Amino acid sequence: MKGKDLRKDLKERKIIKVPVKHEIDGTHNRPENLEKAYRELQEALGEEWVSNDINITVAYARDQSVVPMNHPHIVALPGSTEDVVAVMKIANRYLIDVTPYGTGLNTLGMTIPPYGGILCDLRRMDRILEIDEENMYCTIGPGVTFAQLQTETLKRGLRLINPSTSANASVVSNIMMGNISTLANKYGVGLDHIIGYKIVLPEGRVMVCGPQAYGADNAHLPGPGPDVRAFIRGSLGTMGIITEMTIRLYPEPRHLKLTVPVSDTEKWEHIAPALKAISQRNIVVENAYFQNTYMGIFLAETNAESAKLIPMFPRHYVVPVTGGYSQEETEIKCRVCEEDILAVAPEFEFMDWEVVEDISEGRILGVDKFTKFFRESVRVQRVKGSFFVGFGLDHLEYLPEINREMMRAMTSQVGTDDNVISADLIATYFQPYDMGRLGFIEFDIFIDQSNPEDSLRTISGTLAAMAASFRKGSGVCFGIWPLLEGAGPLHDLIGLIFPQAGTYVDTYRTMKMIYDPNNVCLRRFEYDTLRMKKAAL
């Protein structure tokens, strides 16, 4: 490198640069205001909990999603509700955007700040404030993880509803995102488990929702007056920052048994009746459907091993888990469950447990751990790396047809060969909710992140599959629609595809503009144009 300017050479070859300005002629995040805000944040929180060092901000510039990296200007770690109030008041004073951050383990780019500003990392607020064993609830801070809380509740014979996320994900953040419970046959999604919470609104005011709002115990029902707990439903952090949350806990049965109904056919019509029959009988603790593709993901350590393992399993799996106070009760429920399935779906057979154990012997997740892992732990490892998800909510019996259309759309988009789509690339998952009245479909496409072509094909194929599900009438659940506010043609199409959802998004927009007049909390769309300046979730 003799005779070369090393600094100049590095600058020329650097692909990802930190932008000096995130928007042209913006009113937010001006350099002179950022400097003032930085000094005041250090004074309010302590110098050790506020930083604008690029070596710190780079850790918050990306996540598991395909959203491009973008640095915050400042990272702040509040340790209390009062600290969060200080952050929001300083942000309003100087028009600095604030992005709430639990543990950053989302796959939607929600914690990547499109315009910079303050990244409000809540991991210091990681205390379990209360576990009430008798009334089965707990109160936690936003930094408490599922592994931390599940460990403590299981010691008391209770448990959380199992989330479809990582063990070190924030419980509060995941519930705010909707929390798709992996096997939640009875219990619904995460938002259904909220008893109450304390939230710092965008301007820095504190609001308490639930029974504690009027001095009652958390075991009581909310009231009198309107129940405003749903204030955060679908807001995904855009309406303020949760600093405490009280959620429901559930008893853990003393005995559990997993039966294994399988079907080795390409037909799908028999799956929904089987799921619905055992859901409405109300003897199963958990209930779901998986393709054999998931079995390879569960049990294999590499892609190559996964590809070899998948053909060893039948195509369709229903996963009913029975539980009771005694072994005899659990066994009886298991037999009744099998009879219910065969009565409506004789295509199913029941896999011999010794065969399952033999197949899984020595694998990364043996069958002896499967039930406990899936009910008490969290998302399985994914040997193919990242993944892109399509999902929807509809009547349970409509899901097979929706799935068929999604697969057809995917194949049309990405192309095909003799195998249509490689078995380790795509997987379908059905989840009955509300005792089988509704069903959730998840359409997972696994991405090789080292292959840009694979990533682009996967993303475009999944979007095509999602469009197909919309055409069949499936709805996107868990409040995802507010994210489309201001997203140009996507927002304009909402009213055409889902008229009621369009009204919901318009109502959300009005609430956002009232509660966050300076548009600093998780800013996405602009109030004057009602459009996004940047294409960002």
Side-chain angles (χ1 to χ4, degrees), residues 391-404:
F391 53 84
L393 187 69
D394 211 317
H395 291 291
L396 187 60
E397 57 265 31
Y398 297 162
L399 296 190
E401 178 59 27
I402 291 171
N403 179 72
R404 184 181 293 108

Side-chain angles (χ1 to χ4, degrees), residues 316-374:
H316 305 291
Y317 283 78
V318 172
V319 186
V321 180
T322 57
Y325 286 99
S326 68
Q327 187 67 41
E328 182 182 12
E329 176 193 352
T330 306
E331 293 281 354
I332 292 172
K333 286 181 176 178
C334 192
R335 289 197 296 272
V336 172
C337 176
E338 294 179 1
E339 292 171 1
D340 286 345
I341 290 174
L342 292 176
V344 297
E347 296 90 341
F348 278 104
E349 298 177 0
F350 292 88
M351 204 165 182
D352 189 290
W353 200 247
E354 292 182 359
V355 174
V356 179
E357 289 178 328
D358 183 61
I359 293 174
S360 66
E361 185 179 1
R363 305 289 180 181
I364 194 169
L365 178 62
V367 73
D368 59 322
K369 302 175 184 176
F370 182 89
T371 306
K372 188 175 182 64
F373 181 93
F374 229 65

Side-chain angles (χ1 to χ4, degrees), residues 52 59 108 191 220 423 481:
N52 58 5
L108 291 172
L191 292 168
H220 295 171
W481 286 119

Side-chain angles (χ1 to χ4, degrees), residues 225-239:
D227 179 6
V228 295
R229 287 178 301 169
F231 176 79
I232 64 167
R233 184 179 287 272
S235 68
L236 303 178
T238 58
M239 302 296 282

Side-chain angles (χ1 to χ4, degrees), residues 463 470 481 483-497 531-532 535 537:
L463 292 175
F470 296 160
W481 286 119
L483 296 181
L484 299 179
E485 174 63 63
L490 285 176
H491 174 270
D492 297 335
L493 284 172
I494 293 175
L496 296 176
I497 302 175
R531 285 290 182 265
M532 289 182 182
L537 285 177

Side-chain angles (χ1 to χ4, degrees), residues 407-443:
M407 282 191 164
R408 191 172 296 159
M410 165 65 75
T411 304
S412 297
Q413 176 66 32
V414 304
T416 183
D417 55 24
D418 291 341
N419 294 319
V420 186
I421 295 177
S422 176
D424 65 346
L425 183 67
I426 183 172
T428 297
Y429 157 68
F430 295 163
Q431 170 62 66
Y433 282 123
D434 194 20
M435 308 300 293
R437 294 183 180 90
L438 289 175
F440 172 79
I441 180 173
E442 182 173 314
F443 193 78

Side-chain angles (χ1 to χ4, degrees), residues 158-200:
L158 302 171
R159 73 179 182 98
L160 299 170
I161 292 307
N162 184 24
S164 181
T165 188
S166 302
N168 55 343
S170 160
V171 177
V172 171
S173 295
N174 188 251
I175 287 176
M176 291 284 284
M177 290 290 289
N179 177 271
I180 304 168
S181 305
T182 308
L183 294 172
N185 176 64
K186 298 183 182 182
Y187 309 112
V189 300
L191 292 168
D192 299 323
H193 311 313
I194 298 173
I195 293 174
Y197 55 86
K198 183 182 291 184
I199 183 172
V200 177

